[in-house]
PDB file of all heavy atoms in Angstrom:
ATOM      1  N   ARG X 103      -1.296 -12.969   6.507  1.00  0.00           N
ATOM      2  CA  ARG X 103      -0.009 -12.212   6.129  1.00  0.00           C
ATOM      3  C   ARG X 103       1.108 -12.605   7.035  1.00  0.00           C
ATOM      4  O   ARG X 103       2.258 -12.869   6.634  1.00  0.00           O
ATOM      5  CB  ARG X 103      -0.261 -10.742   6.212  1.00  0.00           C
ATOM      6  CG  ARG X 103      -1.199 -10.151   5.237  1.00  0.00           C
ATOM      7  CD  ARG X 103      -0.521  -9.966   3.855  1.00  0.00           C
ATOM      8  NE  ARG X 103      -1.412  -9.332   2.928  1.00  0.00           N
ATOM      9  CZ  ARG X 103      -2.316  -9.951   2.192  1.00  0.00           C
ATOM     10  NH1 ARG X 103      -2.479 -11.234   2.148  1.00  0.00           N
ATOM     11  NH2 ARG X 103      -3.109  -9.258   1.394  1.00  0.00           N
ATOM     12  N   MET X 104       0.808 -12.715   8.340  1.00  0.00           N
ATOM     13  CA  MET X 104       1.972 -13.104   9.312  1.00  0.00           C
ATOM     14  C   MET X 104       2.470 -14.517   9.086  1.00  0.00           C
ATOM     15  O   MET X 104       3.644 -14.794   9.154  1.00  0.00           O
ATOM     16  CB  MET X 104       1.433 -12.986  10.779  1.00  0.00           C
ATOM     17  CG  MET X 104       1.337 -11.585  11.300  1.00  0.00           C
ATOM     18  SD  MET X 104       2.832 -10.554  10.914  1.00  0.00           S
ATOM     19  CE  MET X 104       4.036 -11.302  12.050  1.00  0.00           C
ATOM     20  N   LYS X 105       1.500 -15.454   8.718  1.00  0.00           N
ATOM     21  CA  LYS X 105       1.961 -16.813   8.405  1.00  0.00           C
ATOM     22  C   LYS X 105       2.907 -16.868   7.147  1.00  0.00           C
ATOM     23  O   LYS X 105       3.961 -17.419   7.230  1.00  0.00           O
ATOM     24  CB  LYS X 105       0.691 -17.643   8.058  1.00  0.00           C
ATOM     25  CG  LYS X 105       1.016 -19.109   7.868  1.00  0.00           C
ATOM     26  CD  LYS X 105      -0.301 -20.000   7.841  1.00  0.00           C
ATOM     27  CE  LYS X 105      -0.047 -21.383   7.592  1.00  0.00           C
ATOM     28  NZ  LYS X 105       0.377 -21.767   6.266  1.00  0.00           N
ATOM     29  N   ALA X 106       2.458 -15.975   6.125  1.00  0.00           N
ATOM     30  CA  ALA X 106       3.292 -15.962   4.882  1.00  0.00           C
ATOM     31  C   ALA X 106       4.642 -15.352   5.301  1.00  0.00           C
ATOM     32  O   ALA X 106       5.673 -15.914   4.850  1.00  0.00           O
ATOM     33  CB  ALA X 106       2.591 -15.183   3.851  1.00  0.00           C
ATOM     34  N   MET X 107       4.677 -14.263   6.009  1.00  0.00           N
ATOM     35  CA  MET X 107       5.931 -13.555   6.333  1.00  0.00           C
ATOM     36  C   MET X 107       6.786 -14.364   7.192  1.00  0.00           C
ATOM     37  O   MET X 107       8.059 -14.380   7.061  1.00  0.00           O
ATOM     38  CB  MET X 107       5.643 -12.164   6.861  1.00  0.00           C
ATOM     39  CG  MET X 107       5.041 -11.322   5.829  1.00  0.00           C
ATOM     40  SD  MET X 107       4.928  -9.478   6.309  1.00  0.00           S
ATOM     41  CE  MET X 107       3.516  -9.546   7.420  1.00  0.00           C
ATOM     42  N   ASN X 108       6.228 -15.181   8.073  1.00  0.00           N
ATOM     43  CA  ASN X 108       7.059 -16.015   9.005  1.00  0.00           C
ATOM     44  C   ASN X 108       7.678 -17.148   8.129  1.00  0.00           C
ATOM     45  O   ASN X 108       8.838 -17.529   8.310  1.00  0.00           O
ATOM     46  CB  ASN X 108       6.217 -16.688  10.081  1.00  0.00           C
ATOM     47  CG  ASN X 108       5.957 -15.593  11.216  1.00  0.00           C
ATOM     48  OD1 ASN X 108       6.628 -14.705  11.346  1.00  0.00           O
ATOM     49  ND2 ASN X 108       4.822 -15.793  11.903  1.00  0.00           N
ATOM     50  N   GLU X 109       6.992 -17.681   7.065  1.00  0.00           N
ATOM     51  CA  GLU X 109       7.530 -18.617   6.205  1.00  0.00           C
ATOM     52  C   GLU X 109       8.745 -18.093   5.444  1.00  0.00           C
ATOM     53  O   GLU X 109       9.762 -18.720   5.175  1.00  0.00           O
ATOM     54  CB  GLU X 109       6.498 -19.178   5.195  1.00  0.00           C
ATOM     55  CG  GLU X 109       5.481 -20.079   5.888  1.00  0.00           C
ATOM     56  CD  GLU X 109       4.868 -21.073   4.935  1.00  0.00           C
ATOM     57  OE1 GLU X 109       5.593 -21.625   4.078  1.00  0.00           O
ATOM     58  OE2 GLU X 109       3.651 -21.245   5.023  1.00  0.00           O
ATOM     59  N   PHE X 110       8.485 -16.790   5.011  1.00  0.00           N
ATOM     60  CA  PHE X 110       9.643 -16.137   4.290  1.00  0.00           C
ATOM     61  C   PHE X 110      10.802 -15.969   5.224  1.00  0.00           C
ATOM     62  O   PHE X 110      11.958 -16.337   4.772  1.00  0.00           O
ATOM     63  CB  PHE X 110       9.184 -14.720   3.781  1.00  0.00           C
ATOM     64  CG  PHE X 110      10.303 -13.789   3.522  1.00  0.00           C
ATOM     65  CD1 PHE X 110      11.002 -13.893   2.295  1.00  0.00           C
ATOM     66  CD2 PHE X 110      10.717 -12.804   4.448  1.00  0.00           C
ATOM     67  CE1 PHE X 110      12.114 -13.079   2.090  1.00  0.00           C
ATOM     68  CE2 PHE X 110      11.800 -11.977   4.185  1.00  0.00           C
ATOM     69  CZ  PHE X 110      12.475 -12.137   3.030  1.00  0.00           C
ATOM     70  N   ILE X 111      10.611 -15.497   6.430  1.00  0.00           N
ATOM     71  CA  ILE X 111      11.722 -15.291   7.359  1.00  0.00           C
ATOM     72  C   ILE X 111      12.481 -16.618   7.618  1.00  0.00           C
ATOM     73  O   ILE X 111      13.742 -16.697   7.574  1.00  0.00           O
ATOM     74  CB  ILE X 111      11.246 -14.664   8.676  1.00  0.00           C
ATOM     75  CG1 ILE X 111      10.718 -13.261   8.482  1.00  0.00           C
ATOM     76  CG2 ILE X 111      12.357 -14.790   9.794  1.00  0.00           C
ATOM     77  CD1 ILE X 111      11.824 -12.187   8.189  1.00  0.00           C
ATOM     78  N   ALA X 112      11.691 -17.652   7.784  1.00  0.00           N
ATOM     79  CA  ALA X 112      12.372 -18.996   8.065  1.00  0.00           C
ATOM     80  C   ALA X 112      13.159 -19.488   6.905  1.00  0.00           C
ATOM     81  O   ALA X 112      14.070 -20.254   7.074  1.00  0.00           O
ATOM     82  CB  ALA X 112      11.190 -19.964   8.423  1.00  0.00           C
ATOM     83  N   ASP X 113      12.865 -19.020   5.664  1.00  0.00           N
ATOM     84  CA  ASP X 113      13.537 -19.564   4.472  1.00  0.00           C
ATOM     85  C   ASP X 113      14.638 -18.593   4.035  1.00  0.00           C
ATOM     86  O   ASP X 113      15.413 -18.982   3.214  1.00  0.00           O
ATOM     87  CB  ASP X 113      12.419 -19.578   3.330  1.00  0.00           C
ATOM     88  CG  ASP X 113      12.981 -20.049   2.064  1.00  0.00           C
ATOM     89  OD1 ASP X 113      13.616 -21.154   2.042  1.00  0.00           O
ATOM     90  OD2 ASP X 113      12.870 -19.391   1.025  1.00  0.00           O
ATOM     91  N   PHE X 114      14.668 -17.322   4.540  1.00  0.00           N
ATOM     92  CA  PHE X 114      15.485 -16.295   3.905  1.00  0.00           C
ATOM     93  C   PHE X 114      16.972 -16.584   3.911  1.00  0.00           C
ATOM     94  O   PHE X 114      17.616 -16.472   2.912  1.00  0.00           O
ATOM     95  CB  PHE X 114      15.149 -14.946   4.648  1.00  0.00           C
ATOM     96  CG  PHE X 114      15.859 -13.770   3.981  1.00  0.00           C
ATOM     97  CD1 PHE X 114      15.602 -13.527   2.601  1.00  0.00           C
ATOM     98  CD2 PHE X 114      16.579 -12.902   4.662  1.00  0.00           C
ATOM     99  CE1 PHE X 114      16.152 -12.371   2.010  1.00  0.00           C
ATOM    100  CE2 PHE X 114      17.200 -11.752   4.094  1.00  0.00           C
ATOM    101  CZ  PHE X 114      16.945 -11.512   2.742  1.00  0.00           C
ATOM    102  N   ASP X 115      17.488 -17.008   5.081  1.00  0.00           N
ATOM    103  CA  ASP X 115      19.023 -17.220   5.112  1.00  0.00           C
ATOM    104  C   ASP X 115      19.392 -18.380   4.167  1.00  0.00           C
ATOM    105  O   ASP X 115      20.290 -18.248   3.373  1.00  0.00           O
ATOM    106  CB  ASP X 115      19.448 -17.536   6.558  1.00  0.00           C
ATOM    107  CG  ASP X 115      19.450 -16.264   7.390  1.00  0.00           C
ATOM    108  OD1 ASP X 115      19.529 -15.163   6.821  1.00  0.00           O
ATOM    109  OD2 ASP X 115      19.347 -16.465   8.619  1.00  0.00           O
ATOM    110  N   ALA X 116      18.621 -19.439   4.232  1.00  0.00           N
ATOM    111  CA  ALA X 116      18.961 -20.595   3.338  1.00  0.00           C
ATOM    112  C   ALA X 116      18.772 -20.240   1.824  1.00  0.00           C
ATOM    113  O   ALA X 116      19.619 -20.583   1.018  1.00  0.00           O
ATOM    114  CB  ALA X 116      18.081 -21.832   3.666  1.00  0.00           C
ATOM    115  N   GLY X 117      17.756 -19.483   1.626  1.00  0.00           N
ATOM    116  CA  GLY X 117      17.470 -19.054   0.187  1.00  0.00           C
ATOM    117  C   GLY X 117      18.463 -18.122  -0.275  1.00  0.00           C
ATOM    118  O   GLY X 117      18.846 -18.177  -1.505  1.00  0.00           O
TER     119      GLY X 117
END
Side-chain angles (χ1 to χ4, degrees):
R103 293 282 186 273
M104 284 310 293
K105 183 170 181 288
M107 292 191 283
N108 286 334
E109 286 206 42
F110 160 79
I111 291 292
D113 181 56
F114 188 53
D115 286 338

